[in-house]
Amino acid sequence: MQTIYEPKGAAREYAPFALNLYRGCAHGCTYCYAPLCLHMTRNNFADVSPRIGIIDALKTYLKKSIPKETVLLSFTSDPYQPIEQEVRLTREALEVMNGLVPHVAVLTKNIIVRDDFDIIAHNGWTVGATLTCYSPEYSEQYEPHAPLPAERIRMLEDAEKHGIDTFISVEPVLSEAELELVLQKIKHLKVKNGIRIGKWNHCSEANKINWKSVLNTAINYANSGKPIYIKDELAKFGNVPNNLRNKFFG
Ligand code: SF4
């Protein structure tokens, strides 16, 4: 059973290691690539379930090998599914990695990650939120079952109050105006581990976006002193300074 693994391609732009705990995701993002990658229909993907046996497999893996670089939770799902509050699978995985794995980065759209701030802060791990847009109408259209972006920003504020380093994924960018709004709304956050900005792919709607202009907005924002990382597909639309090219955590 696959536990901690080394992702390839665009997924690897986030972290050298990843761990997927759930199969499927209930957040219902219309732009999600995961069903395509996993060869699942969107309906099947929405019917989320814990990966049976993943905790025992993780324990076995860690007896043999400890990843020295960042492990991202997760690439093919969100580690904070609504059922997490009952099954506590992500919590259990964090407890297994507690004191063993030097750096875990949790990326989520769900605010229930707050329940795990204790163990994340204790280990000096990182919490990130995906913010593809800010307006509620956009979020309700494109991410219908996830908490609203404003709630995710409040979750990041709380994480920073707990002394947890944060990061933000603005991927995929859904419109130029929404990107500008997101960047304005997160100005007060430290986001020490960076703001990753990525292009919308595999969708005809994405062709209506002026990606050169999106890239310029991102580059200009970096002048405010925030750590911005431009993902490869977006970087193709202009000259990106080396310090803004994607880099791993930790
Ligand atoms: S939260 Fe992530 S994994 Fe879940 S549906 Fe949205 S994009 Fe896909």
Side-chain angles (χ1 to χ4, degrees):
M1 177 180 218
Q2 187 186 60
T3 55
I4 293 174
Y5 68 103
E6 294 184 40
K8 294 189 175 68
R12 197 177 157 78
E13 291 181 69
Y14 273 85
F17 295 101
L19 173 62
N20 298 309
L21 297 162
Y22 286 96
R23 183 177 179 275
C25 179
H27 291 153
C29 307
T30 59
Y31 52 74
C32 183
Y33 313 142
L36 192 70
C37 299
L38 298 172
H39 309 289
M40 293 171 77
T41 64
R42 286 196 178 269
N43 279 348
N44 284 345
F45 187 72
D47 187 17
V48 59
S49 57
R51 291 183 64 209
I52 305 294
I54 187 69
I55 297 298
D56 285 342
L58 178 62
K59 286 178 185 166
T60 304
Y61 177 97
L62 292 175
K63 274 183 197 151
K64 293 183 195 146
S65 170
I66 302 288
K68 293 192 173 51
E69 296 173 283
T70 301
V71 178
L72 182 81
L73 307 187
S74 305
F75 278 130
T76 60
S77 183
D78 186 310
Y80 290 93
Q81 295 298 315
I83 57 169
E84 170 66 16
Q85 286 181 303
E86 294 154 41
V87 302
R88 304 297 276 139
L89 182 66
T90 294
R91 176 67 190 202
E92 218 180 324
L94 294 177
E95 284 172 354
V96 170
M97 293 189 281
N98 181 23
L100 282 180
V101 177
H103 193 227
V104 174
V106 173
L107 177 61
T108 184
K109 289 188 175 90
N110 204 338
I111 57 177
I112 61 172
V113 60
R114 281 192 179 97
D115 293 346
D116 293 336
F117 278 179
D118 56 346
I119 194 167
I120 292 169
H122 174 73
N123 282 279
W125 294 337
T126 305
V127 168
T130 304
L131 293 165
T132 63
C133 56
Y134 182 79
S135 306
E137 55 273 22
Y138 257 83
S139 185
E140 282 159 7
Q141 179 181 348
Y142 290 101
E143 307 163 339
H145 307 305
L148 290 173
E151 296 178 71
R152 296 175 219 165
I153 292 172
R154 279 195 288 277
M155 177 276 287
L156 291 174
E157 288 166 3
D158 288 348
E160 292 190 348
K161 280 185 201 148
H162 277 76
I164 296 170
D165 290 340
T166 61
F167 68 104
I168 290 172
S169 167
V170 188
E171 185 183 27
V173 170
L174 297 177
S175 86
E176 290 169 77
E178 287 298 314
L179 171 64
E180 283 176 19
L181 204 45
V182 167
L183 295 178
Q184 183 196 323
K185 296 290 183 184
I186 60 172
K187 262 189 181 151
H188 62 295
L189 294 170
K190 293 188 199 128
V191 279
K192 192 175 164 209
N193 277 313
I195 302 162
R196 284 159 170 72
I197 301 184
K199 189 178 169 288
W200 193 2
N201 299 310
H202 312 297
C203 179
S204 57
E205 270 185 80
N207 298 334
K208 297 178 195 154
I209 297 173
N210 182 338
W211 291 107
K212 204 171 170 54
S213 166
V214 165
L215 179 59
N216 287 338
T217 300
I219 291 173
N220 289 339
Y221 192 75
N223 293 333
S224 70
K226 288 275 192 281
I228 292 271
Y229 303 116
I230 310 283
K231 290 196 72 191
D232 289 350
E233 285 299 313
L234 181 57
K236 289 176 184 168
F237 289 83
N239 294 321
V240 180
N242 279 343
N243 64 321
L244 305 188
R245 291 316 310 276
N246 202 46
K247 73 174 187 192
F248 295 146
F249 301 97

